[in-house]
Amino acid sequence: MTPEPPDKAEQSDKQPRRRGDILGISALAAGLLSGLAGDKLSQSIDSSGWIKVAGISLTIVLALIWAIYNAPVGLRRYRRWRSRTPREPGELHVAAEEAEQWLVSLGSDTGGLAASEWFQQEEPRLRSLLAAEKAREENADDIARICDALEAWYLRRPDSRGLLELSELLAAVGDGCGRRDLTELAAARAATAYRLMGDLETASTRLGVSSNVATRGRTAAALTTRRQVERALLHLARAEQAPAGSDRDEAVLNARDRLDDARLRRPGPDLAGEIAIQINLAIVHLYQQDPESALDRLRAAAARATATGDASARAHALELHGVAAWMQRSPKEAKQWWREAANLYAEVDEPEGRARCLQHLGSAEIVNKLPDNARAFLEQSAELRGGTTAHPLLTHYLKAARDPTEQPPPPETPPHPTPTTWLRRQLSRLLR
């Protein structure tokens, strides 16, 4: 068997170590010789004290030179020993590994419900760890991984306040450790949080901050894509707030442009990214009153979501199938799609998606003049959302269902844009 070559660091230590050993031997020899010389001379003359003093001084000087000369060698040996000594991973690192593993299952058709239960139970512990851990260069990536996992969880609830707190924490970590990639990601995450709160101007400002932080590096392509998708969602939010007319049409066209840019700049092959972009492009077609083109996008998205086991994305595609069918004046087909989507959302524990489908079903029953059925669906939707205060359209539908004399609002057609959690996966791989 061929012997393994010696370690390069050990080879580099050999020559200084030999010189240091010579100095050490010299110091020992000087001490012995001075002692012997002093003893011999003391037998013949009385003034032998200066010889002993000179010998001891020479010994001390040579010993100090030996210690100083060998200090770098000893320090390198100590560092190598420390690096080879197995260390137990810290609690933060273990939590980051675990959160990332559960994130893979979140929204999937195999482990989506279990992942949701894990996040429900462990979210307080993860937040406590983030609050207690002091940001350092060696733990910045673990903090970022936990923030990524919690972002996906908050987007599914949705919890805009929790998302904003995550962005502030990650920004502090990025600034403290000199990690501009994390600072940029934090600004983009803050934009998402403000959009969910309805503060579109602040969201746009935060996106501008993200653009100016870091324009190069490993994460530049993925973060550019995220910003393009987020800008598209901002334009769709403006379209939802604007009355029908030129302002809404312009916002929708701007959203389409941003989504096309995101698709072209997507960093490498990414099925999850393609699904999200296809769903949001379908929403653009629905705003443009083009259900046929929307269905083309949605069929492709649903097929890819089924192939990848992404039940959450498939449920969203089916929900929008129902919106397109309603626009084509096929209410029976629309209700079938919404029921199927509601069941899928329930399987992966996405209460907001299920609540939307129940609201669609309730509004359809109001149009069919079945107020009792409508009330049952709408009350379930309100229960899943914890009330109707943040959902004025749901409040109007409930009033119409409970009071037949109440004039119902027109059936809702503006759909809900899909969250961009697929970008988190791409960024997580790059940030490691």
Side-chain angles (χ1 to χ4, degrees):
M1 181 181 294
T2 305
E4 294 184 359
D7 188 274
K8 289 184 178 180
E10 291 181 0
Q11 287 180 336
S12 65
D13 288 347
K14 280 186 176 180
Q15 189 174 1
R17 193 169 63 236
R18 289 195 190 101
R19 293 173 183 170
D21 290 343
I22 292 172
L23 286 172
I25 293 169
S26 300
L28 181 61
L32 290 173
L33 288 173
S34 63
L36 289 173
D39 289 341
K40 292 292 184 183
L41 289 173
S42 65
Q43 296 175 7
S44 57
I45 58 177
D46 293 333
S47 59
S48 61
W50 66 272
I51 298 177
K52 289 184 180 181
V53 172
I56 292 170
S57 300
L58 180 60
T59 302
I60 293 172
V61 169
L62 290 174
L64 286 174
I65 294 173
W66 174 83
I68 294 170
Y69 196 88
N70 281 278
V73 177
L75 185 60
R76 284 196 293 270
R77 283 184 172 182
Y78 174 74
R79 287 175 176 170
R80 285 201 300 272
W81 173 78
R82 283 290 303 272
S83 65
R84 292 170 184 171
T85 303
R87 288 176 292 178
E88 289 294 326
E91 185 179 3
L92 184 75
H93 181 73
V94 172
E97 290 286 328
E98 197 173 8
E100 197 168 57
Q101 289 170 7
W102 280 108
L103 177 59
V104 175
S105 300
L106 194 62
S108 70
D109 54 4
T110 53
L113 187 57
S116 180
E117 290 175 355
W118 185 87
F119 275 98
Q120 188 77 39
Q121 294 174 2
E122 297 296 328
E123 188 261 352
R125 181 177 70 90
L126 295 176
R127 290 300 300 268
S128 177
L129 272 175
L130 291 176
E133 194 73 25
K134 184 178 180 181
R136 301 183 302 275
E137 187 175 351
E138 58 268 24
N139 67 5
D141 284 325
D142 287 334
I143 292 174
R145 290 159 71 192
I146 293 176
C147 288
D148 290 340
L150 287 175
E151 176 190 20
W153 173 247
Y154 290 152
L155 282 173
R156 291 178 187 278
R157 304 327 287 169
D159 183 354
S160 55
R161 179 58 56 185
L163 197 60
L164 185 58
E165 290 173 358
L166 280 182
S167 72
E168 292 170 351
L169 186 146
L170 192 62
V173 173
D175 292 341
C177 299
R179 292 284 300 272
R180 295 174 67 84
D181 53 348
L182 298 184
T183 305
E184 183 179 14
L185 176 58
R189 186 171 289 157
T192 303
Y194 282 115
R195 174 177 58 80
L196 293 175
M197 293 176 183
D199 189 350
L200 304 186
E201 292 306 317
T202 304
S204 181
T205 300
R206 297 302 295 167
L207 271 181
V209 171
S210 176
S211 301
N212 294 327
V213 173
T215 57
R216 295 186 182 133
R218 295 181 301 143
T219 61
L223 284 166
T224 298
T225 304
R226 173 169 182 149
R227 282 194 297 269
Q228 294 289 6
V229 174
E230 187 57 44
R231 286 192 178 97
L233 298 182
L234 275 174
H235 287 305
L236 289 177
R238 291 191 179 99
E240 187 174 353
Q241 294 178 0
S246 58
D247 289 343
R248 174 182 283 192
D249 294 341
E250 183 181 359
V252 171
L253 287 173
N254 288 334
R256 179 168 186 167
D257 289 341
R258 299 289 75 75
L259 290 170
D260 287 338
D261 288 343
R263 185 173 52 179
L264 292 173
R265 297 187 182 190
R266 201 170 67 254
D270 183 5
L271 274 179
E274 181 65 24
I275 292 168
I277 291 173
Q278 290 285 1
I279 288 176
N280 285 314
L281 283 170
I283 292 172
V284 168
H285 291 307
L286 292 174
Y287 271 109
Q288 294 174 329
Q289 302 297 310
D290 186 2
E292 283 295 336
S293 297
L295 285 171
D296 289 340
R297 302 278 188 185
L298 293 171
R299 291 186 191 104
R304 289 168 183 163
T306 302
T308 58
D310 191 342
S312 177
R314 184 167 180 267
H316 201 174
L318 298 185
E319 177 191 352
L320 296 177
H321 264 85
V323 175
W326 184 269
M327 292 174 68
Q328 291 177 322
R329 292 180 169 77
S330 300
K332 184 176 180 181
E333 183 184 355
K335 289 191 287 186
Q336 288 175 345
W337 287 121
W338 288 330
R339 287 192 185 95
E340 188 175 351
N343 291 334
L344 267 177
Y345 280 129
E347 289 177 9
V348 294
D349 190 26
E350 282 197 44
E352 176 60 26
R354 187 168 173 236
R356 287 198 310 269
C357 291
L358 291 170
Q359 183 173 321
H360 296 323
L361 289 166
S363 65
E365 295 295 45
I366 288 175
V367 173
N368 292 336
K369 302 189 182 304
L370 297 171
D372 292 337
N373 291 349
R375 187 168 59 252
F377 285 126
L378 295 171
E379 286 175 351
Q380 288 183 63
S381 178
E383 183 180 355
L384 286 168
R385 285 168 161 167
T388 63
T389 53
H391 303 277
L393 192 58
L394 177 58
T395 302
H396 289 313
Y397 283 132
L398 269 172
K399 285 182 180 179
R402 290 167 178 165
D403 184 3
T405 62
E406 180 80 19
Q407 182 66 28
E412 56 174 335
T413 54
H416 182 79
T418 190
T420 56
T421 52
W422 57 274
L423 276 165
R424 187 225 61 82
R425 300 175 189 171
Q426 190 72 19
L427 288 167
S428 179
R429 289 196 293 268
L430 292 168
L431 288 171
R432 285 185 201 173

